[in-house]
Amino acid sequence: MARRGAKTPPRKRLGLALGAGGARGLAHAGVLFGLAEAGVPVDAIAGTSSGALVGALWATGQLELFANELRDRELSDLVRYLDPVWPREGLLSGERATSYLRGLLGDWRIEDLPIRFAAVAVDLVTGEEVWIREGRLLDAVRASISLPGIFVPVRQRGRLLVDGALRNPVPVAALDALDVDVRVAVNLHAQPVREIEPRARRKPVMSRLGDVFESGLAKLGRKPRAAEASEPDLPAGPNLLEILTASMSVLEHEIARHRLAHEPVDVVLAPEVRGIRSFEFHKAARAISAGRKELEDKLPDIQAALQKRAGLSRYFSSGSSS
């Protein structure tokens, strides 16, 4: 029995590091929905790329709306958000996607969010990892999702920013700046992801995404290069979009494996999302389900970490809670 007049120890703060992964990032929504249903509050989110996007939508209360909209979409619907720009710093200007996100994120500023938040990007000029913790939320997300070569980089405060996955695909380290006690990482690259499929399994609509870029070249009077002959079990002329996303996936898998082995983290979640490629947002329901399942499996570990960190060590901490 607690002593009369004794103060109830403050609840330990839970921080999530939401990793990069394109459409696989909808697994983060499943994790967040599952935590809410279990009554486990999230106090801070550090996100890279799609992790930054999902985290921002959660913080502004728009994640469920976003997830429901994606459930009703087909892959072919994605084409409307592709806006090739020529000459280019990236294949897409990103203006259409930004306009769509503006309708969800509005004019929120990071410092006004109900939870602590950081979006991770990389400065291409200096190579530095950048934790964006203030300013307009939309700008932070736009910088963090700027896949190199695909989206035009973001110029912000004298920096040239691109996708944070180049250096930190699962941003556990960024939680250092968010004052949390328990760290949970969601790694969407625990296993290598196959972005380029064999010819027999390729879907025509995936080729359409690449054709958008080729049509932009055609408008400049440049003829697309004829596809080279390939072996029957190899991809038939993968387009530039597929090559870039496949390259990023290889990079993210290796960097995530290395960084998670050397950074303090209490629980690592690894949703089974290998069968979802970066631009397959029409598989939102599958990704969300994978996140929910992984959360259900690891929830006891998260609760144990919260209870363990709530022990006597709290009384000897010199840090202040807020």
Side-chain angles (χ1 to χ4, degrees):
M1 175 180 290
R3 292 179 306 171
R4 180 177 299 177
K7 293 183 178 180
T8 301
R11 177 181 59 80
K12 302 310 288 182
R13 294 178 293 270
L14 173 65
L16 299 184
L18 304 183
R24 294 180 289 277
L26 270 299
H28 297 317
V31 171
L32 287 161
F33 293 152
L35 286 170
E37 291 166 5
V40 178
V42 175
D43 300 284
I45 292 177
T48 294
S49 197
S50 60
L53 171 58
V54 171
L57 290 167
W58 176 259
T60 56
Q62 297 296 310
L63 183 54
E64 188 170 2
L65 172 62
F66 178 70
N68 288 336
E69 286 186 353
L70 287 179
R71 285 191 180 100
D72 297 330
R73 298 275 174 91
E74 296 294 335
L75 180 56
S76 56
D77 295 332
L78 180 62
V79 174
R80 80 173 85 172
Y81 297 108
L82 302 185
D83 42 12
V85 55
W86 320 91
R88 58 190 183 273
E89 296 173 320
L91 293 173
L92 306 174
S93 72
E95 292 179 2
R96 294 179 186 173
T98 301
S99 178
Y100 170 69
L101 293 177
R102 185 178 293 111
L104 292 170
L105 300 179
D107 294 323
W108 274 98
R109 295 184 65 81
I110 294 175
E111 51 267 41
D112 296 329
L113 292 172
I115 64 173
R116 296 181 178 91
F117 179 83
V120 178
V122 168
D123 184 347
L124 272 184
V125 177
T126 65
E128 295 177 332
E129 181 178 328
V130 179
W131 300 345
I132 307 175
R133 294 182 291 133
E134 60 181 17
R136 205 163 66 128
L137 181 62
L138 178 64
D139 294 339
V141 170
R142 173 65 178 83
S144 189
I145 66 173
S146 297
L147 279 74
I150 296 179
F151 286 110
V152 171
V154 171
R155 287 175 167 78
Q156 190 177 108
R157 299 183 180 181
R159 297 180 182 270
L160 189 64
L161 301 178
V162 296
D163 195 319
L166 277 178
R167 289 200 55 168
N168 199 348
V170 188
V172 173
L175 291 174
D176 286 343
L178 302 182
D179 192 24
V180 300
D181 303 299
V182 175
R183 304 177 182 204
V184 173
V186 185
N187 180 15
L188 305 179
H189 286 276
Q191 299 295 328
V193 175
R194 187 167 189 168
E195 294 281 359
I196 300 177
E197 293 186 339
R199 181 192 304 180
R201 296 211 306 266
R202 292 185 77 203
K203 298 179 180 179
V205 72
M206 285 305 294
S207 296
R208 284 186 59 196
L209 300 183
D211 291 343
V212 171
F213 309 132
E214 297 293 352
S215 65
L217 284 172
K219 291 178 181 177
L220 296 180
R222 304 175 186 175
K223 294 182 179 180
R225 186 180 65 179
E228 298 178 357
S230 61
E231 297 295 329
D233 59 338
L234 293 178
N239 57 56
L240 185 55
L241 178 66
E242 293 172 312
I243 291 172
L244 289 172
T245 53
S247 299
M248 281 295 294
S249 291
V250 171
L251 182 70
E252 290 168 31
H253 169 67
E254 289 301 320
I255 296 177
R257 184 168 62 88
H258 174 76
R259 293 199 65 155
L260 286 174
H262 295 86
E263 294 177 347
V265 60
D266 294 282
V267 182
V268 177
L269 277 61
E272 178 49 71
V273 289
R274 284 178 293 172
I276 302 173
R277 294 191 286 172
S278 291
F279 280 86
E280 292 185 326
F281 288 94
H282 65 296
K283 295 182 179 179
R286 177 175 169 185
I288 293 171
S289 177
R292 280 184 178 276
K293 182 180 185 305
E294 181 69 359
L295 185 279
E296 290 173 0
D297 292 343
K298 298 292 180 65
L299 182 58
D301 295 336
I302 295 172
Q303 293 170 327
L306 288 167
Q307 293 170 1
K308 180 174 63 176
R309 293 298 184 91
L312 292 176
S313 61
R314 75 165 72 246
Y315 300 109
F316 301 99
S317 173
S318 59
S320 61
S321 60
S322 59

